Amino acid sequence: MSAPLHTRPVVPVRPARRTAAGVADARLHWWVLALPALAFGLLMLLLAGSGEAHAAGPADGSALTQVTQQILRAVG
């Protein structure tokens, strides 16, 4: 015996609003601009802290360890 199938009713899609010039009106959420700006700022912070970097000797460990230490130094 098969189970009953529950489906949602089909809702018609509203067409995009048009302005006087006939161009669709698009609104952006706040995070669409905030997240790239935050990522750019964090990259600039990492680059600014790279002046303190020093040449790695053979006993310093892997590159992943060095990157992790640099990030922790910049954050905290």
Side-chain angles (χ1 to χ4, degrees):
M1 183 172 180
S2 61
L5 180 63
H6 299 286
T7 60
R8 295 183 185 179
V10 176
V11 179
V13 178
R14 291 187 341 201
R17 289 184 283 167
R18 302 283 179 173
T19 60
V23 180
D25 182 23
R27 294 185 181 176
L28 297 177
H29 293 285
W30 64 269
W31 50 264
V32 174
L33 295 174
L35 289 179
L38 179 65
F40 180 77
L42 289 174
L43 286 173
M44 290 297 114
L45 182 66
L46 285 174
L47 285 174
S50 66
E52 301 170 3
H54 59 280
D60 279 348
S62 69
L64 181 61
T65 305
Q66 293 174 11
V67 170
T68 303
Q69 289 175 353
Q70 182 69 23
I71 291 172
L72 290 175
R73 216 177 297 133
V75 172

